[in-house]
Every structure is written in C-alpha cells, then in structure tokens.
C-alpha cells in the first residue's frame, strides 16, 4: 500500500493551488484504513493482475469516500469535530471550504475514472458504476434513509439493513466491481454485488459496536456519536451480543460466496480477516 499512498499523494498535483485544494489534500491524505483500495487490489490479485492497474480507479473511489466523510462531518449532518485522529475538514478550514472541497473531490473522481485504464469501454463501465453506486441510487440514498431513520421512534432490523445496504454496502461493493471490469471478468458481478452487500452490513455493524466499546484514541474519532445524534444502530436495536454474531455471520457469507468464484482467494481472505478483526 505504500506505493499507492505515494501515488495518491500526487493525484491532485494538477489541481490549481487554492484553499480548496489544500482542504482536499488534507482530508484525502489524513490516513485511514484504505479499505476500498485494498479490496480493489485484492480482487485484481485474485484475478492474477497487478494492483497498479487499479490505481486510478482506487483513487477515484477513495476521493468519493473522502468527500462523503467531509460532508457527513458537517454541522448539518453528523456535526463531528474529529476524523482519523485530527480535526475534521470544516473544523480546520471552515464550513464553506469544506463543502467546496467535498464537491471538488467528488467531481475529480470522475475525471480519474474516465481514464482509469487504456480501454475506453472499461472506463465507461467504471464511470457508470461510480455514479450509480455513489449517487442518488446508492450511497446518497443511504444517507437520506439514515436521516429519515433518526426521526422514527422505532426502527426495525430490516429498515436498518436497508439503510446500511445503501449507505455503506454500495461503496464497499464498488472496488470489487471496478476490479472485475478491469480484469474483464464482469460475469462475476452478481457475486461481487452479493459479497459487497454482506461486507457492508458487517462493516457497519462493527462500526456501531466500536462506537460504544472503543476509545477516541483507538477509533480516531468521537465515540458515542450515534447516541448523541439519536441514531438507531444494531447495538440499540438488537443488543451488542447479537450484533457481534450478525457481523461475523455476514463476513462468513461473503467468504463463502467469494470461494465459489474461479479465482485465487488468498489476497481477499486476508482482507476479510483484517476486516473481521479491525479495531477502528
């Protein structure tokens, strides 16, 4: 991942200098687990391809993820002051610049996607899926459902799953779909969509658990934020013990589906194990 971090650190070099660029760079390079690039690279490796083939697509996804975090942290949304162990973008640069930085990262992601590979058809497919999974039919829809859920006195488990399928699962499915297009293995896309849904549900359940069991130092952001924002979570709906069982079950389901595909699962198994055991 060090080579990708180096690549990512220069991906905005062509952007004109401004406070917006400074805020974009600040948030993009603030650290983080780089789960989505890791999933893309592991999927490429499973298909026998070099991870460098996916650098531009991975950077585009990471830009979309970063923009979503900048906007999530704003006072109008989750109103968070800490992200990845340092001040959130709006705390560092002010709300107006943070909004513009998020907008610019989202837009720049599509610029990268249009030249993700040397194959115009693959680039078109990647650009399409980025738009579909990140936009009003994907992650943004999940954020809207999440906001609507806050005003409900009771939220069922099925409603909670629906929120996280869109809000978290869609953006975790993206890297595997992009890798399948790059590897010309799009016949596996239905399987990757199922795997991404399972990973997304498990990942979000873990986040809900960590929000009440971790520390600020471990998590790199404020804890108990879901309670403070009156959000329904898997912990509040089904309890922490059942939430842990659900998280493990979804990861096992994802691994089972992945092992049915005609590929080398070793790299993906490593990623799945890392996700199961993550502490932040």
């Amino acid at each position: 991942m060090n080579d990708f971090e180096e690549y990512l650190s220069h991906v905005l070099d062509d952007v004109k200098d401004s406070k917006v660029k400074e805020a974009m760079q600040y948030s993009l390079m603030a650290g983080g687990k780089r789960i989505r690039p890791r999933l893309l690279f592991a999927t490429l490796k499973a298909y026998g391809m070099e991870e460098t083939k996916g650098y531009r697509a991975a950077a585009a996804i990471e830009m979309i993820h970063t923009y979503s975090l900048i906007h999530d942290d704003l006072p109008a949304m989750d109103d968070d002051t800490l992200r990845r162990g340092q001040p959130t973008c709006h705390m560092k640069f002010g709300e107006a610049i943070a909004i513009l930085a998020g907008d610019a990262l989202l837009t720049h992601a599509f610029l990268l996607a249009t030249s993700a590979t040397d194959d115009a058809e693959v680039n078109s497919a990647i650009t399409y899926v980025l738009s579909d999974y990140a936009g009003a039919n994907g992650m943004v829809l999940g954020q809207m459902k999440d906001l609507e859920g806050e005003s409900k006195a009771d939220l069922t488990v099925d409603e909670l799953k629906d929120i996280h399928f869109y809000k978290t699962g869609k953006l975790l499915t993206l890297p595997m779909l992009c890798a399948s297009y790059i590897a010309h293995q799009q016949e596996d896309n239905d399987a990757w969509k199922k795997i991404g849904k399972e990973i997304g549900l498990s990942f979000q359940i873990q986040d809900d658990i960590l929000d009440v069991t971790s520390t600020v130092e471990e998590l790199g952001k404020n804890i108990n934020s879901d309670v403070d924002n009156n959000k329904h979570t898997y912990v509040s709906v089904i309890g922490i013990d059942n939430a842990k069982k659900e998280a493990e079950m979804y990861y096992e389901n994802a691994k089972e589906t992945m092992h049915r595909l005609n590929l080398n699962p070793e790299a993906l198994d490593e990623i799945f194990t890392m996700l199961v055991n993550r502490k932040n």
Side-chain angles (χ1 to χ4, degrees), residues 206 210 251 270-280:
Q206 284 180 297
L210 289 170
Y251 271 128
E270 290 179 8
I271 298 295
F272 288 177
T273 299
M274 180 192 74
L275 290 173
V276 169
N277 296 316
R278 71 188 179 96
K279 300 298 181 185
N280 57 32

Side-chain angles (χ1 to χ4, degrees), residues 152-210:
K152 291 186 177 182
D154 295 303
L155 205 67
T156 67
V157 173
D158 284 342
E159 287 174 318
L160 204 54
K161 286 180 181 177
D162 187 55
I163 290 170
H164 297 320
F165 167 65
Y166 288 100
K167 185 179 178 182
T168 306
K170 286 289 188 174
L171 217 58
L172 284 169
T173 307
L174 257 181
M176 295 177 289
L177 290 179
C178 288
S180 75
Y181 283 122
I182 294 169
H184 298 283
Q185 299 289 336
Q186 50 265 40
E187 65 272 11
D188 291 338
N189 278 2
D190 285 344
W192 293 124
K193 290 174 185 178
K194 181 179 179 183
I195 291 166
K197 179 180 180 179
E198 303 278 4
I199 290 175
L201 288 170
S202 187
F203 192 91
Q204 187 58 54
I205 293 171
Q206 284 180 297
D207 268 2
D208 290 351
I209 294 169
L210 289 170

Side-chain angles (χ1 to χ4, degrees), residues 31-260:
K33 298 174 286 295
R34 306 296 191 211
I35 296 299
R36 291 151 196 84
R38 287 177 186 273
L39 282 170
L40 196 156
F41 301 150
T43 306
L44 285 177
K45 190 172 181 180
Y47 283 129
M49 295 190 69
E50 293 291 329
E51 67 176 42
T52 53
K53 299 289 186 182
Y55 273 14
R56 290 181 75 83
I61 295 171
E62 198 65 4
M63 284 183 172
I64 290 174
H65 176 55
T66 302
Y67 118 78
S68 74
L69 298 181
I70 292 173
H71 285 190
D72 271 352
D73 290 337
L74 289 167
M77 297 283 281
D78 289 345
D79 196 14
D80 269 323
T81 59
L82 198 65
R83 172 71 66 178
R84 293 168 174 171
Q86 54 191 52
T88 51
C89 190
H90 71 275
M91 294 298 294
K92 176 82 171 178
F93 296 94
E95 287 184 48
I97 291 175
I99 292 169
L100 291 175
D103 293 344
L105 283 167
L106 173 61
T107 308
H108 208 77
F110 290 97
L111 184 64
L112 287 179
T114 58
S115 58
T117 72
D118 294 330
D119 188 323
E121 288 188 9
V122 170
N123 296 343
S124 177
I126 288 174
T127 303
Y128 176 87
V129 78
L130 280 176
S131 178
D132 189 34
Y133 276 58
N137 288 325
M139 179 189 67
V140 172
L141 178 60
Q143 290 171 317
M144 186 67 251
K145 288 174 178 285
D146 193 25
L147 288 172
E148 291 172 340
E150 290 177 22
S151 63
K152 291 186 177 182
D154 295 303
L155 205 67
T156 67
V157 173
D158 284 342
E159 287 174 318
L160 204 54
K161 286 180 181 177
D162 187 55
I163 290 170
H164 297 320
F165 167 65
Y166 288 100
K167 185 179 178 182
T168 306
K170 286 289 188 174
L171 217 58
L172 284 169
T173 307
L174 257 181
M176 295 177 289
L177 290 179
C178 288
S180 75
Y181 283 122
I182 294 169
H184 298 283
Q185 299 289 336
Q186 50 265 40
E187 65 272 11
D188 291 338
N189 278 2
D190 285 344
W192 293 124
K193 290 174 185 178
K194 181 179 179 183
I195 291 166
K197 179 180 180 179
E198 303 278 4
I199 290 175
L201 288 170
S202 187
F203 192 91
Q204 187 58 54
I205 293 171
Q206 284 180 297
D207 268 2
D208 290 351
I209 294 169
L210 289 170
D211 189 62
V212 297
T213 62
S214 190
T215 64
V216 172
E217 291 75 22
E218 285 179 319
L219 211 53
K221 59 182 180 180
N222 296 318
I223 59 172
N224 297 315
S225 59
D226 292 330
V227 174
D228 294 342
N229 288 318
N230 298 313
K231 283 192 175 184
H232 299 285
T233 70
Y234 276 87
V235 174
S236 66
V237 174
I238 66 175
I240 194 165
D241 290 336
N242 286 329
K244 288 178 179 178
K245 290 176 184 177
E246 290 260 313
E248 187 172 343
M249 177 192 72
Y250 286 127
Y251 271 128
E252 289 301 318
N253 289 347
K255 286 182 69 173
E256 184 179 331
T257 301
M258 184 264 293
H259 276 263
R260 294 197 198 107

